[in-house]
Amino acid sequence: MRYAALVAAAALAGCDPLSLLVLDAVLSPKETEHFVLINQPNYFYRSADHHDFKAAESYAWRNCGPTALVDLEVKPSCPNDVTVNLYDAEETLVFSDTFHAPHCLVDQKKDWPPEATAEGVPGIWRIDLIFDISGVKDLQILITGTGDCESEVYVQHGNNGVGNGQDPQPPGQPPINDGPGTGPGIPGNQGGPYVLWRHMQTRDRDVTETYFVRMNGTATAVDADWTQWDAGTLHVTVKDAAGLIVYDHTFDAAHPHPWTEPTASGEAGVWSVTFEALDLTTMGLHVTVYAP
């Protein structure tokens, strides 16, 4: 799999904003090393170093088109099963396959050819991953969607391709680094997790969207800027892993910008970031919630 090229291409894609939700992730630091999760419109990437891992994970993922490609590889290919199920926006099963590597040889890589899903309804798809593996050094799952996208939302859980300038290659996969074409770019971000809500143009938009990202519990930063704000408001709420509000702020046409403000600290784990737009009409708007 040519991950570097695919990641660079995916970073250029946008889509209607999605509600990204890690529904039932079961992850143990003692069992998982070099965990990388990239969940963006039309692009889903999951990798890790699992030695022995039996768990189920479920993700809400935005696919802008009616089909997707599923690509998976593992090294070494010890006896293991990874089941991938995909459901479209109407909860219809459009893909189900168990990837089985029957042998266990040192440095033996098993790379399956990409598989296409059946046609489904574009929108928020569900990805179910079921792991029953042992002795795995590198596990990589790549799911790419199809279709045109109108706006951009990024949710990043690691340092791969965050676009914050050249720095040493971070651990994990895909093997890419920051630089041209690798990410949206976040001033001040040093590679921590973030949610970026970016729109070239909004017209009388009314929407409420919530995104989920893993934070370490320390205070995060909120950056906002725009080239033009004609009407409406944008309310941003951040809650920690315990559901307590650590940030609550409303932006409007009279608001100073660019704007940077820290949140309060909170309980580590999966934080939620909610954007509530009312009659929003703007140009060049972007709001980022990130761990500095």
Side-chain angles (χ1 to χ4, degrees):
M1 290 186 287
R2 299 178 180 177
Y3 289 109
L6 289 170
V7 172
L12 300 177
C15 192
D16 292 330
L18 60 97
S19 292
L20 167 63
L21 174 59
V22 180
L23 298 174
D24 296 300
V26 181
L27 301 172
S28 169
K30 295 181 180 179
E31 297 173 335
T32 305
E33 298 175 1
H34 300 167
F35 170 84
V36 175
L37 173 65
I38 303 174
N39 191 336
Q40 297 176 176
N42 273 359
Y43 183 85
F44 177 90
Y45 180 86
R46 167 79 167 87
S47 73
D49 180 352
H50 291 307
H51 298 288
D52 297 283
F53 190 66
K54 296 183 179 181
E57 300 173 6
S58 186
Y59 300 90
W61 171 67
R62 170 72 78 174
N63 183 10
C64 301
T67 61
L69 280 178
V70 180
D71 199 357
L72 189 143
E73 70 177 46
V74 63
K75 178 183 178 181
S77 55
C78 296
N80 67 80
D81 290 298
V82 178
T83 300
V84 180
N85 295 323
L86 274 73
Y87 299 82
D88 71 2
E90 294 186 350
E91 285 294 314
T92 299
L93 181 67
V94 294
F95 183 86
S96 180
D97 197 2
T98 297
F99 297 85
H100 176 69
H103 305 295
C104 187
L105 301 175
V106 176
D107 293 328
Q108 178 71 36
K109 182 174 73 172
K110 179 68 175 179
D111 189 353
W112 290 268
E115 295 185 38
T117 69
E119 289 196 4
V121 178
I124 299 176
W125 287 28
R126 190 174 90 238
I127 300 173
D128 287 344
L129 306 176
I130 303 171
F131 300 99
D132 185 5
I133 61 179
S134 61
V136 169
K137 180 180 180 181
D138 289 307
L139 171 67
Q140 303 174 0
I141 302 170
L142 174 65
I143 303 174
T144 53
T146 59
D148 295 328
C149 306
E150 297 178 355
S151 56
E152 300 175 69
V153 177
Y154 295 90
V155 179
Q156 182 76 34
H157 294 255
N159 189 34
N160 276 338
V162 298
N164 63 309
Q166 295 293 336
D167 54 19
Q169 168 63 40
Q173 296 291 333
I176 63 172
N177 207 340
D178 300 332
T182 57
I186 298 178
N189 187 285
Q190 299 301 312
Y194 68 83
V195 176
L196 169 61
W197 201 75
R198 180 168 66 182
H199 299 272
M200 293 300 296
Q201 183 177 24
T202 63
R203 295 180 180 177
D204 296 323
R205 190 165 192 213
D206 297 314
V207 68
T208 300
E209 299 168 348
T210 299
Y211 302 85
F212 296 82
V213 62
R214 293 184 179 274
M215 294 290 187
N216 61 13
T218 59
T220 63
V222 178
D223 284 352
D225 200 6
W226 52 89
T227 57
Q228 183 176 327
W229 194 305
D230 295 320
T233 59
L234 177 65
H235 190 84
V236 180
T237 305
V238 182
K239 295 182 180 180
D240 69 2
L244 299 178
I245 296 176
V246 296
Y247 187 80
D248 188 82
H249 193 82
T250 299
F251 298 90
D252 58 24
H255 199 287
H257 68 102
W259 178 265
T260 300
E261 186 178 22
T263 72
S265 59
E267 183 173 327
V270 178
W271 287 28
S272 67
V273 181
T274 300
F275 301 94
E276 183 179 359
L278 180 63
D279 297 327
L280 187 63
T281 302
T282 63
M283 294 284 291
L285 172 67
H286 62 267
V287 181
T288 311
V289 179
Y290 65 94

